[in-house]
Amino acid sequence: MTKLRFSRKQLCIPYAVFLILFVIAPLIVILYYAFTNGEGKFSFSNFSNFFTSTNTLGTLFYSFGLAIVTTLVCLIIAYPTAYILARSNIKKKYVLLMLFVLPMWINFTLRITALKEILSVLEGNISKYPFLNSVIGMTYDFLPFMLLPLYTSLQKMDNSLLEAASDLGANRVTVFLRVTLPLSVPGIISGMTMVLLPSMTNYVVLDMLYNSEYIMGSLIGSYFSAYDWHNGSMISLVLLVIIFIVTLVTNRFSDKEANTRGSML
Amino acid sequence: MTKKVLRYGWLVLVLLFIYIPILVLAVYSFTNATTVGGGTGGFSFKNYANLFKNDEMRSMIFGTVALAIICAAIATVLATLGAIGSFYSKRVTKSLINTLNQVPVVNADIVTGFSICILLIVILRVDKNTYIPLGLGHIVLTAPFAYLSILPKLKQMDNSLYEAALDLGATPAQALFKVVLPQLIPGILSGFMLAVTLSLDDYFVTTYTKPSTFDTISTYVVNATRGSQTETKTALWALSTLIFLLVVAFVVVMNVLSSRKRRERV
């Protein structure tokens, strides 16, 4: 029996080794490169470059601004949608939900191409509204990431709680504000993280919609093209720290079950 | 009544936002038009013919699909073994692997791609043209999601079946392959499908690790939008429409299959 337990456990060795070699080691290398210069000597210059340059700091703020606006727009569109879908008693609810997330499986560059054509028709010259178009593009891309966790948390909500609240005299608005909304906070937090982080980095959406502003991802892209591994690593490190903080803060609240991309499958 | 109208009105509005671009592009892909919104120049299959005639595009599509399937298969095997192994491990090992697995999940794809590029291409000097960095990058990107879809199936599994198999004389290996693995198949399949779709959708890991002459759909489309070749642009409309139709067909088939299964159970 002990021998058999041992052999079953051993099955995880290849995967553990794989994760250490190709997930952890690359991150350690990033840390090393962020604090060294071209000659391999320890240096703070990449660090000070990032935090003293108005260019990179401006990029950081622009990224945050774009990401926060995108996240809020996604939330405003997705919450009522998820609420209606989860609370309604339509028979084929599952099929309807499918309709909302189905585009997720079409390559995002092709979807943005389609959106770009429509925006060109509506706006004439799309380079006139770079910020607006980037928000629309990212919302178009990331809406399902917001919708799914919200739907999951609203769907599994215990109906008797809502009935109890209205039996005890709460009107519909109070029931929503005091019961439904607080109970859906985990879904909101999950959805927000899943939109916030990609919208700080997915510079392809901006490129394709002719927004020449930089976001954090574009900095990595431009350092990559310039073979500047050290400054590129610094940007990656800054992103890692942001991701780490966001994960730490949200882990408390977020809905573990709804936290994965494509949890529909 | 007005409430109902409002509700359905909202859902319809959101669906319009989601589907108008895709559907308009689909309609225009069957015409001679070179821009959306203008005259159509009549019905034509020209874009579809171009898509299949053009060697570059054909090999790009084939390459994307082959990369996705091969990497997803390797990722799924690794993740399945990892999930089984960690499920039966001590709590410390289990939580360590779960945490490591979570890193690429929460990490931005661009950081994953860039860090793999630095380690493999810059430091270890692995030749990009061997496809090794690209393949490893896609496995790193997809395996953790496969792992996450297999793990719940292990938790739901009835452990007494495994014990029963051993009591009835099966060797541990036989019990694993004939009793444990079959119970995991739904999780493994959905993990594989998720891995395939993530790999197909990826842009960032691909850009930072691919050989310079190789393109996936994502990198090809981004390059094509920078260029101004109309024929390429409109052929991509056709590609987008074909993928849309494939996804719709897939979803319909899956729904029919699962509702049939549900009916059988009842």
Side-chain angles (χ1 to χ4, degrees):
Chain A
M1 196 65 194
T2 43
K3 188 169 171 264
L4 126 99
R5 281 264 155 88
F6 186 65
S7 67
R8 272 194 293 182
K9 271 192 263 179
Q10 275 181 334
L11 289 176
C12 71
I13 291 174
Y15 191 52
V17 170
F18 172 80
L19 287 176
I20 290 168
L21 285 183
F22 301 113
V23 174
I24 303 306
L27 294 184
I28 294 171
V29 163
I30 286 282
L31 186 67
Y32 173 77
Y33 262 62
F35 288 105
T36 48
N37 58 20
E39 286 111 49
K41 289 202 184 104
F42 181 80
S43 139
F44 263 115
S45 64
N46 310 314
F47 185 77
S48 52
N49 272 350
F50 181 81
F51 284 100
T52 52
S53 158
T54 47
N55 264 339
T56 47
L57 282 184
T59 301
L60 185 64
F61 288 123
Y62 188 82
S63 301
F64 267 121
L66 184 63
I68 289 169
V69 173
T70 303
T71 310
L72 290 180
V73 171
C74 281
L75 185 63
I76 291 167
I77 298 178
Y79 200 97
T81 313
Y83 185 85
I84 297 168
L85 283 175
R87 304 265 106 210
S88 72
N89 35 20
I90 318 168
K91 261 192 193 150
K92 296 250 172 185
K93 222 195 294 194
Y94 187 74
V95 178
L96 200 54
L97 179 66
M98 260 317 187
L99 265 182
F100 281 87
V101 295
L102 184 144
M104 204 163 68
W105 293 306
I106 304 170
N107 186 293
F108 83 95
T109 57
L110 290 173
R111 266 186 294 146
I112 297 293
T113 308
L115 182 70
K116 185 177 126 191
E117 298 294 337
I118 297 300
L119 288 176
S120 314
V121 175
L122 293 177
E123 297 171 1
N125 179 3
I126 63 167
S127 49
K128 269 191 290 187
Y129 311 100
F131 188 82
L132 175 73
N133 288 338
S134 304
V135 171
I136 297 175
M138 292 210 171
T139 305
Y140 195 62
D141 197 359
F142 304 136
L143 193 63
F145 297 162
M146 182 68 92
L147 191 64
L148 282 176
L150 283 175
Y151 177 80
T152 316
S153 72
L154 287 165
Q155 167 72 25
K156 68 179 182 199
M157 199 172 287
D158 189 351
N159 251 333
S160 53
L161 288 175
L162 308 181
E163 282 157 21
S166 46
D167 285 350
L168 292 168
N171 61 25
R172 300 185 78 131
V173 179
T174 323
V175 172
F176 177 76
L177 289 179
R178 305 287 292 271
V179 184
T180 313
L181 194 62
L183 282 175
S184 62
V185 164
I188 296 177
I189 301 275
S190 299
M192 287 180 79
T193 17
M194 285 168 69
V195 175
L196 191 79
L197 294 174
S199 45
M200 289 188 71
T201 54
N202 196 329
Y203 62 88
V204 171
V205 175
L206 273 70
D207 278 1
M208 291 182 75
L209 296 173
Y210 304 135
N211 182 350
S212 55
E213 275 308 323
Y214 267 20
I215 55 172
M216 292 302 278
S218 352
L219 283 178
I220 296 185
S222 71
Y223 286 131
F224 172 82
S225 322
Y227 302 109
D228 185 346
W229 315 119
H230 298 276
N231 276 310
S233 297
M234 194 68 218
I235 307 294
S236 303
L237 189 63
V238 172
L239 278 172
L240 277 172
V241 171
I242 295 173
I243 292 165
F244 184 71
I245 294 172
V246 171
T247 315
L248 217 58
V249 172
T250 56
N251 247 357
R252 266 156 211 263
F253 309 101
S254 69
D255 190 342
K256 292 280 169 343
E257 285 163 48
N259 214 351
T260 28
R261 272 187 281 191
S263 48
M264 273 296 286
L265 266 169
Chain B
M1 188 61 205
T2 41
K3 221 165 243 167
K4 213 171 189 180
V5 172
L6 269 178
R7 274 184 195 167
Y8 286 112
W10 176 262
L11 292 187
V12 169
L13 264 180
V14 177
L15 282 177
L16 285 178
F17 170 62
I18 295 173
Y19 284 102
I20 279 183
I22 300 170
L23 293 179
V24 168
L25 209 67
V27 170
Y28 272 89
S29 74
F30 288 104
T31 66
N32 283 311
T34 53
T35 48
V36 169
T40 58
F43 179 86
S44 132
F45 277 117
K46 174 191 78 167
N47 292 324
Y48 292 84
N50 284 343
L51 188 63
F52 291 107
K53 264 191 296 185
N54 186 325
D55 287 337
E56 196 182 72
M57 272 196 238
R58 232 183 18 225
S59 70
M60 172 274 288
I61 297 168
F62 178 77
T64 312
V65 175
L67 178 74
I69 290 177
I70 294 170
C71 291
I74 300 173
T76 311
V77 172
L78 264 176
T80 307
L81 293 178
I84 297 175
S86 87
F87 184 72
Y88 290 110
S89 296
K90 270 179 285 177
R91 192 180 294 170
V92 185
T93 326
K94 192 189 290 187
S95 72
L96 183 73
I97 294 181
N98 285 344
T99 311
L100 289 184
N101 186 74
Q102 207 57 28
V103 174
V105 174
V106 296
N107 201 353
D109 298 350
I110 189 169
V111 177
T112 306
F114 189 75
S115 66
I116 287 173
C117 157
I118 298 272
L119 177 72
L120 292 180
I121 299 169
V122 179
I123 296 183
L124 298 176
R125 307 213 170 268
V126 179
D127 187 1
K128 279 183 187 182
N129 296 321
T130 57
Y131 291 89
I132 290 174
L134 180 65
L136 281 171
H138 275 245
I139 298 171
V140 170
L141 185 75
T142 55
F145 290 94
Y147 179 91
L148 286 178
S149 55
I150 296 163
L151 213 52
K153 290 284 175 276
L154 275 159
K155 288 182 186 151
Q156 289 163 15
M157 191 174 61
D158 186 356
N159 221 2
S160 53
L161 286 176
Y162 178 80
E163 309 286 341
L166 293 182
D167 288 347
L168 291 171
T171 66
Q174 278 176 329
L176 196 66
F177 277 104
K178 301 213 160 152
V179 179
V180 176
L181 214 54
Q183 296 186 72
L184 299 182
I185 291 218
I188 293 173
L189 279 182
S190 67
F192 175 74
M193 287 314 297
L194 186 54
V196 169
T197 49
L198 284 170
S199 168
L200 288 178
D201 207 45
D202 172 71
Y203 172 83
F204 294 103
V205 174
T206 310
T207 325
Y208 296 140
T209 54
K210 74 184 182 69
S212 45
T213 52
F214 177 81
D215 266 313
T216 62
I217 293 177
S218 305
T219 59
Y220 189 88
V221 172
V222 172
N223 285 336
T225 33
R226 287 192 186 126
S228 53
Q229 268 206 313
T230 330
E231 204 169 86
T232 317
K233 188 181 89 172
T234 52
L236 289 175
W237 297 355
L239 179 61
S240 154
T241 308
L242 280 180
I243 295 178
F244 175 64
L245 293 176
L246 271 177
V247 170
V248 171
F250 182 77
V251 168
V252 169
V253 169
M254 291 308 281
N255 266 313
V256 169
L257 284 182
S258 71
S259 67
R260 192 172 293 168
K261 212 183 273 172
R262 235 173 281 144
R263 230 173 288 146
E264 271 166 23
R265 239 177 257 153
V266 174

